[in-house]
Amino acid sequence: MSYANDFRVKAGSKVNLAKIDADYHGGFDNEDSTLAELNNYCQRLTELQALMYAENKNSLLVVLQAMDGGGKDGTIRHVMGALNPQGCTVAGFKVPTAEELAHDYLWRIHKLTPGKGHITVFNRSHYEDVLVVRVHNLVPKEVWSKRYNEINGFERELTNSGTTVVKFFLHIDKEEQLRRFRDRLDEPGKQWKISDSDYTEREYWDDYHQAYMEAISKCSFNYAPWYIIPANHKWFRNLAVSQILVETLEGLKMKYPDPSVDLAVIKQKYHAEVAEESGLAAVELMAEEEPKKKKGKKKGKKKKKKK
Ligand code: AMP
Ligand code: MG
């Protein structure tokens, strides 16, 4: 089962969110039945991140978008929790500051994209500039309507420079959103999240969906795909996102760099006991070095003769 195949939005296709079941949970009945698999993916993520960091060639940008209460924070906690903080950054984008508004909308975004070997997770992103901005007419249509192409160009440039871009829309339905808001009322640890605007924004649900559908349809490509994740069930969401991230990173065919030193020499110089354990006395090692070099030279000569 590849959730990457199931949930990837094919380039050029037209998304209809009304037809995508937010309640879908694969072959799983409950959270417990997903835990072993989730744990495997998270362990694999840990390994792949270490590899990416060591190789220092690729980087990964994960974009998380959702309606309010859609589970961006929870996904970061559960899935990205598997990552070593040393190589991972989470960047959240709120209402732009005066300084940010004085620049082009990609200015604050580009600064926070990951460098080589690093993973960055965007909690909201440049897509807000064709979502909330469009829904609330924060700039005229002639401005936001040009942004799809601009975003595609920006993401193309990132991928050309070695950054893999994956984008997740965590898809919950309107009833689930209200359930989640209601749950917050009874949980002291979540009450701080409650805002009036979460409720008033519900009036714009259809407008947001319209804006999401257009953004996702226009900006999903093989090089920077959108995935629509059924997210009413938090445990299924975590499973799907983690599997897709593993598949994405495995697709990079990363390799640990070769050691920059001669390990045999290091063992002999600083770890005499290891050299002895492997049955090689220091003197033997040095004696072995010479014939190897000569053999190498001979091979090279032979090849030239063949030509
Ligand atoms: P939260 O993620 O709940 O902390 O809320 C952040 C708020 O910032 C949301 O209401 C977003 O819609 C808003 N926001 C993020 N980016 C932009 C933007 N470019 N323009 C206007 N509002 C934004
Ligand atoms: Mg909020």
Side-chain angles (χ1 to χ4, degrees):
M1 178 91 189
S2 163
Y3 297 128
N5 278 342
D6 292 350
F7 301 145
R8 184 188 293 115
V9 176
K10 314 262 177 310
S13 64
K14 249 188 160 318
V15 170
N16 183 353
L17 286 175
K19 287 198 172 152
I20 301 178
D21 182 11
D23 223 22
Y24 179 81
H25 47 83
F28 299 91
D29 293 331
N30 52 41
E31 179 169 10
D32 280 352
S33 60
T34 60
L35 290 182
E37 216 173 300
L38 176 67
N39 193 35
N40 282 342
Y41 293 136
C42 287
Q43 277 183 20
R44 191 71 193 116
L45 269 183
T46 308
E47 292 163 5
L48 286 160
Q49 184 205 10
L51 181 55
M52 175 179 262
Y53 190 83
E55 196 191 39
N56 197 30
K57 185 175 146 198
N58 297 281
S59 52
L60 176 69
L61 174 61
V62 181
V63 170
L64 291 180
Q65 286 286 162
M67 299 293 283
D68 291 319
K72 299 187 300 318
D73 295 345
T75 306
I76 291 170
R77 225 169 343 104
H78 287 282
V79 182
M80 311 306 166
L83 302 175
N84 179 344
Q86 179 147 270
C88 176
T89 308
V90 177
F93 295 97
K94 311 246 178 206
V95 177
T97 62
E99 190 191 18
E100 287 167 348
L101 280 175
H103 292 80
D104 70 279
Y105 68 101
L106 292 174
W107 178 74
R108 65 174 184 163
I109 307 288
H110 207 159
K111 291 199 282 197
L112 293 173
T113 54
K116 290 192 189 317
H118 285 253
I119 297 177
T120 296
V121 182
F122 278 178
N123 184 342
R124 302 188 189 271
S125 64
H126 42 302
Y127 282 93
E128 292 294 327
D129 293 284
V130 286
L131 295 166
V132 63
V133 166
R134 166 178 167 162
V135 169
H136 288 291
N137 301 308
L138 302 182
V139 300
K141 181 174 182 183
E142 73 224 49
V143 174
W144 60 252
S145 60
K146 290 193 188 111
R147 289 182 173 171
Y148 304 102
N149 274 339
E150 291 163 2
I151 288 173
N152 291 339
F154 169 61
E155 293 180 359
R156 179 85 258 189
E157 192 266 318
L158 288 180
T159 54
N160 285 345
S161 311
T163 301
T164 294
V165 181
V166 282
K167 301 168 290 195
F168 294 103
F169 173 62
L170 310 175
H171 177 43
I172 58 167
D173 58 35
K174 209 173 171 185
E175 296 72 37
E176 176 64 16
Q177 186 192 54
L178 194 59
R179 267 195 296 277
R180 289 186 185 186
F181 288 170
R182 194 193 55 214
D183 289 348
R184 287 178 182 178
L185 297 174
D186 301 326
E187 281 194 51
K190 287 192 177 167
Q191 286 163 352
W192 66 273
K193 281 191 170 189
I194 301 168
S195 75
D196 212 26
S197 76
D198 280 346
Y199 291 91
T200 52
E201 286 298 277
R202 279 172 63 76
E203 290 166 27
Y204 299 95
W205 181 275
D206 291 342
D207 295 339
Y208 271 107
H209 262 202
Q210 201 56 46
Y212 264 112
M213 290 193 282
E214 193 165 338
I216 295 172
S217 304
K218 287 187 168 166
C219 303
S220 191
F221 297 93
N222 285 341
Y223 65 83
W226 268 105
Y227 295 96
I228 299 177
I229 307 295
N232 272 5
H233 299 280
K234 297 171 181 176
W235 39 269
F236 180 74
R237 170 203 77 202
N238 293 340
L239 188 73
V241 169
S242 62
Q243 192 203 61
I244 292 169
L245 289 176
V246 167
E247 212 177 300
T248 303
L249 290 175
E250 282 181 340
L252 295 178
K253 309 276 178 243
M254 296 181 286
K255 286 201 314 278
Y256 276 105
D258 289 333
S260 57
V261 293
D262 186 329
L263 298 183
V265 171
I266 293 286
K267 277 186 195 168
Q268 169 209 320
K269 260 173 114 174
Y270 304 111
H271 303 276
E273 75 291 352
V274 182
E276 264 169 41
E277 271 167 27
S278 57
L280 296 170
V283 188
E284 283 171 350
L285 261 173
M286 288 174 87
E288 269 190 359
E289 282 291 278
E290 276 309 297
K292 259 189 204 163
K293 277 183 193 163
K294 279 179 192 160
K295 267 185 204 165
K297 272 184 189 168
K298 267 183 196 166
K299 268 187 188 169
K301 274 182 188 167
K302 265 184 193 169
K303 269 186 188 168
K304 273 187 183 169
K305 273 182 189 170
K306 272 184 188 172
K307 279 181 185 173

